[in-house]
Amino acid sequence: MEHYAIFQQIPVIGAIAGPRLDNDKLYRYSYSTEVRLNRPTGSTRGNTGFRISSDVDISLVWRNPQIQDEQLLRLQISNVQVESAGKRSRKNNIFHGSSAESILGKVRLEALQRPFMVLWKMGKIRSLYAHKAEPATIKNLKRGVASMLMMQLKSGKMSEADASGKCLVEYKATKDQVIRTKHLDTCKTQEMGFTTHSPVLGISGKSTSETVITLENGIIKSADVEETHILSINARHKAATKVLSRQSLTLKKIEVGPTEVAGKDVASVVKSLDDKHMSVGVMVEKVKTKCKGCPNLMDTWKAVRSQLEPESLSKAEGPRSFLALLHSLRKASKSEILTVLRNCSKTVLPQLVDAVTSAQTPSSHSAILEFLDFSKKEGLVLQERFLYACGFASHPTETMLQSLLDLAQGKIGSTEIKESIVIIMGALLRKLCLKGACALPTVLKVKEMLLAGPDSTQMESEVLMYLLALKNALLPEGVPVLAKYAESEVGAFSTIAITALQRYDPQLITPEVKKTLNRIYHQNKHIYEKNVRAAAADVIMSSSPSYMEVKNLLLSIGHLPHEMNKYMLSKVQDILRFEMPACKLVRQVMKDMASHNYDRFSKTGSSSAFSGFMARTADVTCTYNLDILYSGSGVLRRSNMNIYGQSNNAFLHGLQVTIEAQGLESLIAATPDEGEEELESFAGMSALLFDVQLRPVTFFKGYSDLMSKMFSISGDPISVVKGLILLTDHSQVIPLQSGLRTSAEFQGGLAIDISGGMEFSLWYRESKTSVNNRGALVVIGNVTVDTGFVSAGVEVGFETEATLDFITTVQFSEYPFLVCMQMDKTTFPFRETVSKQEKLPSGQTFSLKRSRDQLVPGSEFPLHQENSNMCKKVFEQAW
C-alpha cells in the first residue's frame, strides 16, 4: 500500500539504479487515503469511516554529489478535503457542509499543509524531516504520504520500515509495474499490546497489504495501496471486525519546479531551508487523544454500580457493567481508584475489587494493595477475590508476582489467605513462563520457593498448599517432586500430586514417573486409597501408555475393591466409546481373551466414568466428563466433573469440580474398603477454573463436625468461587501505512458463581451431592480509528446467561444401592450485537446499532443407559 515515486529510472553501468526525480521539475499528484470499518461479512453499504483527499506536490531539493540515488525531496500537501468514505444520505452524513478547516481546526490544517522533506535513497525513505512541534496525528499523515514513495526496481525480499513499522516486504518488478507485498505478521511497531494467554479465549488476526505501482517513462503514474486487517473472537468467529485502508497517488501533471539546492550533506541543506525541520522518524508515533466530555471514573462508577450488586451478577448487565468499569479504571489514577474503593458499599465492594485487580495497570495494582490489609482476618472475602483475579490475570507482570511474594513473606492474618497467595503464585508463574519471562529474577525466586516448598515443612496443610501451587505452575522441574509425593502414604498428598501430573504434557511423563504410577495403582509397595489408585490409572491411560501397561490395567479388573472394579471397567468403555488417544491400544489388548472376557467385563456396581460433547461448532468444541467413584458401602468417595474447550488445536481446561468424601462408613455400620480403615471423616470440594487451581473448601472435617451437619438434607451449598473474571483481554494498536492508527480492544467478562454441597441423611438413608454453576458472559470487540479531529468505530459482541447443574443422588437403604446422576443445562438467551459510529469534534455523530436475539433450548446431557435406568427407579421411589 504505498505510493512510489515520481521519478525516473536512470540506468547505471553494471547495476540497477534507484528511482530518481528530475531537476527543476514539480510533480503534482492527487492523493487520497480512506479507512472503512465493518464486519468481514458486512455489505459495503454498511461501512463506517472517512476519506482524506488532497493534492501533493513533490520536487527535488538536493542530490548527493557522490551518491546520485540519494535525494532530498520536498513534499507539500494542499487542497485538503475530509468526507465520508461511503455513500451516505444527507441526513446521515456528518461531513456534509463541513470544510477541512472546520474539521481539522486552523492549527492542524496549517501544519498539514506545511512542507516537509524526505531523504530518498534507492527508492527507500531513510529520514523524514518536519517540525517537531506539529501534532503527532499530522506528522503521522505525512509519514503515510511519504510511505507511498517506498519502492525498488528489482524483485526481491527485504526488511524495511515505513509508517506502519518495520516489516518483511516482497517486491515483484516488471518494466512498467512494481508490486509491493508487505508481510504484516512480521511487522515490529512502536506500540506493544497484550492478549489473553489462552488461544481458546483469545483473538485471531489476518492481515494483508499490497501496493501496485504503475510506471510511465520511468515516472510513477499511479500507486494504489490496499491494506486489510480482520480480527475475530476465536470462540465465535462471526464476532469479527474488518479494517480496510486504501491509499491512492495519481500523477496529474508535471510543471517547472524549484532549482536544486547546493550543499555537502543532508543536515546542512535541511537546516538552510528551514531550521525548525528535524528528523522525526518514518514510523507512526503514539498519539495521545483527549476525550472531551467522556465520563471520569467516578461518573462511570455511579452509572454501573447498581448492576454490580450480587443479585444482578447472573444477568448480562453484570459483566457488561464490569467491562465498562474496567475501561474507565485503566485510564484512572491511583488516587481516583482509592476514592471509589473507600466510598463503596459492602455488597458491591467484592465486585469492585474484581474489576480493580483485573485492570492490571500500575495505578490499579498499587491502589488495591494499599486498600487491602492482609495482616487482618477481617476482609478475607475481599483478599481472596483479589488473589483469584490475580490468578486469572490476562497479562500478569513481574511486579504482580513480586507483590504476592512480598505478601507471602509478610504478616498474614488468615491461614486460608496464605494458602491462596502461594497457590495463585503458581498460576502467575506459569503464565509468565508461557510468554517467555521464565528467567526474570522474581520468577526464578518463586520457582525455587515452590519446588523446595513441600520438603520445607512438616505441616500437612502447607505441603498441600505447595503441591497445589505446583499443580498451577506446571514446571517441568516439578515432575520429580510431584512423582515423589504421588507415592506418599498420606492420601491427600497423593491425590493432588497425581492430578497435577495429569495436567502435564504427556511427553513430560517420563518412564520413571510411569513406573511410579504403576506401583501406586498395583500397590507394589503400599496399600493406597481407591481414589488415589483411580487417579493413577487415569494418568497412565492418558500419557501414551505401553501395551503391557494397558494389559496389566485390564487384568486387574476383577481383583479390585468392588466399586473400583466397576469404575475401571467404565473408564475403559469410555475410552473406547469416546475414541480417546489410548483407544487403539485398548482394542489391541482386548483381542487377548485373558484381558477381555465376560467375567471381567460383567462387573456390577454404581461407579462410572462418562465423556460427551457439550457443544460442537465451527469455532469451538466443548467436551465434558463425569467420573464418580463410590465406596463399597454406597457412600461417595470421589466425584469429578471436567469441562474442556478446544479451538484451532488449542486446549483449555475450562472447569474441574471435584468433591471428595471419606470415613463415613461408620455412620451406616458398613465396613471400610481396604486401605481406608483409619481415615478421618471428611468431605470437601476443589475447583479448577480456566486452567487455574483454586484453594479447596471443606464441607466438614472430623466426626464432631460431621455429626452437627448430617441430620439435615437441605443445607445451603457452599460457594467455591464467585465473582467477575476478565476472560478475554486483547489490546492492540495497528498502525496503518496511511499514518492512521487503529485501536482494537476485545474484552470478555464473565460473572460466575460455582457452589457445591454434600447432603447426608441417616433417616432417609440417602446422600446427595450437587455442583451448581451460574454464569453470564459478555464479549465485546471494539475497533476505532481516532485522529483527534474525526473518529470512526465498529463494535461487535455477544452475550449469554446460562446455568449448569450436576446432581448425584444415592439411596443406600439396600444393596445394590441406587445412584442417579443428572447434568442439566437450562434454556438460555443468546444475543449478538453490532454498532457503528462516526464522530466529529463539533459533536456531530452518526451511529447505528443492530442486535439479534435467540433462545437456546435447555437440555439434560446424556449419560450412559445404566444411569438412565437407575434414575427412573430413584424417582419412582421418591414419588
Side-chain angles (χ1 to χ4, degrees), residues 17 140 158 347 508 525 584 589 722-723 840 854:
N140 286 341
M158 66 178 59
T347 54
L508 291 171
K525 286 187 176 180
K584 287 183 180 179
V589 172
K722 186 174 187 175
L840 293 176
Q854 65 182 108

Side-chain angles (χ1 to χ4, degrees), residues 680-843:
E680 179 185 30
S681 299
F682 167 82
M685 183 171 174
S686 173
L688 182 148
L689 189 60
F690 303 114
D691 280 333
V692 178
Q693 171 70 53
L694 307 178
R695 181 180 63 81
V697 297
T698 299
F699 298 151
F700 56 79
K701 187 173 185 180
Y703 188 76
S704 59
D705 192 20
L706 166 62
M707 294 303 291
S708 68
K709 295 174 180 175
M710 75 173 189
F711 288 103
S712 170
I713 196 168
S714 58
D716 293 329
I718 296 177
S719 178
V720 179
V721 60
K722 186 174 187 175
L724 292 154
I725 298 172
L726 184 59
L727 208 55
T728 296
D729 194 15
H730 180 91
S731 181
Q732 178 183 5
V733 172
I734 305 170
L736 304 175
Q737 187 180 292
S738 63
L740 298 172
R741 297 163 68 257
T742 301
S743 298
E745 294 284 339
F746 283 74
Q747 276 80 35
L750 175 70
I752 194 164
D753 184 359
I754 299 176
S755 58
M758 183 173 183
E759 303 162 359
F760 197 89
S761 173
L762 277 180
W763 183 261
Y764 293 102
R765 307 284 285 181
E766 182 177 85
S767 73
K768 184 180 287 188
T769 57
S770 62
V771 177
N772 312 111
N773 303 279
R774 306 282 183 274
L777 173 68
V778 175
V779 182
I780 297 172
N782 189 297
V783 175
T784 307
V785 177
D786 188 351
T787 65
F789 55 84
V790 59
S791 68
V794 60
E795 183 177 281
V796 295
F798 60 89
E799 59 188 52
T800 187
E801 302 158 7
T803 299
L804 179 68
D805 293 326
F806 173 47
I807 300 168
T808 305
T809 305
V810 182
Q811 292 180 354
F812 48 87
S813 54
E814 58 186 67
Y815 194 87
F817 43 85
L818 299 176
V819 179
C820 173
M821 294 182 291
Q822 296 166 278
M823 190 160 136
D824 297 331
K825 176 184 70 177
T826 59
T827 296
F828 62 92
F830 185 85
R831 168 179 284 191
E832 292 178 283
T833 59
V834 59
S835 61
K836 300 164 187 177
Q837 189 179 71
E838 294 170 0
K839 191 174 183 180
L840 293 176
S842 60

Side-chain angles (χ1 to χ4, degrees), residues 251-524:
L251 181 63
K252 291 168 66 177
K253 59 183 175 179
I254 304 172
E255 301 176 353
V256 176
T259 305
E260 186 179 336
V261 176
K264 291 182 180 180
D265 56 54
V266 174
S268 60
V269 173
V270 171
K271 191 171 183 180
S272 68
L273 292 170
D274 187 337
D275 60 2
K276 289 184 179 179
H277 269 128
M278 298 181 68
S279 178
V280 293
V282 297
M283 290 196 282
V284 163
E285 65 182 272
K286 293 181 182 181
V287 177
K288 292 181 180 177
T289 54
K290 291 183 180 178
C291 187
K292 293 179 181 176
C294 288
N296 58 27
L297 176 59
M298 187 57 79
D299 293 335
T300 303
W301 173 239
K302 288 176 180 176
V304 304
R305 61 187 173 190
S306 62
Q307 280 83 47
L308 294 175
E309 291 285 355
E311 58 270 18
S312 301
L313 292 185
S314 59
K315 301 294 182 185
E317 287 82 0
R320 199 185 305 124
S321 298
F322 166 68
L323 294 180
L325 181 59
L326 183 87
H327 285 291
S328 192
L329 283 162
R330 285 182 167 172
K331 299 171 188 172
S333 66
K334 178 181 176 180
S335 60
E336 289 176 311
I337 296 169
L338 280 170
T339 300
V340 172
L341 283 166
R342 288 166 179 162
N343 291 277
C344 179
S345 66
K346 286 184 178 180
T347 54
V348 184
L349 191 52
Q351 289 74 258
L352 179 57
V353 169
D354 292 337
V356 172
T357 311
S358 298
Q360 299 170 72
T361 64
S363 296
S364 65
H365 192 64
S366 180
I368 195 67
L369 286 173
E370 184 173 318
F371 179 73
L372 298 173
D373 186 351
F374 285 83
S375 66
K376 296 180 180 177
K377 279 191 176 182
E378 299 80 20
L380 185 144
V381 171
L382 299 180
Q383 293 167 23
E384 193 134 71
R385 292 284 277 265
F386 160 74
L387 292 169
Y388 287 172
C390 285
F392 298 125
S394 55
H395 53 286
T397 61
E398 185 181 17
T399 304
M400 181 181 281
L401 182 61
Q402 181 64 55
S403 66
L404 295 194
L405 181 59
D406 293 340
L407 288 172
Q409 294 171 342
K411 183 184 175 185
I412 300 174
S414 162
T415 54
E416 288 95 337
I417 292 299
K418 169 69 183 290
E419 291 169 9
S420 284
I421 290 172
V422 175
I423 292 167
I424 294 304
M425 282 166 69
L428 292 186
L429 194 65
R430 180 178 181 230
K431 289 184 178 181
L432 287 166
C433 284
L434 282 174
K435 66 177 193 177
C438 229
L440 292 173
T442 307
V443 175
L444 292 173
K445 220 182 296 180
V446 173
K447 188 191 289 189
E448 185 181 344
M449 181 185 99
L450 297 188
L451 291 170
D455 290 338
S456 68
T457 177
Q458 298 298 313
M459 290 180 62
E460 183 176 317
S461 61
E462 290 190 356
V463 175
L464 291 171
M465 170 185 78
Y466 284 116
L467 291 174
L468 287 165
L470 288 171
K471 183 177 179 181
N472 268 336
L474 292 183
L475 298 167
E477 305 95 315
V479 172
V481 179
L482 294 168
K484 172 188 170 183
Y485 278 86
E487 284 197 279
S488 169
E489 293 184 51
V490 179
F493 294 174
S494 299
T495 305
I496 293 173
I498 294 170
T499 55
L501 288 170
Q502 193 167 19
R503 297 193 66 213
Y504 277 86
D505 186 319
Q507 293 179 347
L508 291 171
I509 306 300
T510 63
E512 284 303 314
V513 177
K514 285 190 180 183
K515 286 178 185 175
T516 301
L517 294 167
N518 279 287
R519 282 197 301 269
I520 294 168
Y521 178 79
H522 296 292
Q523 303 191 119
N524 299 137

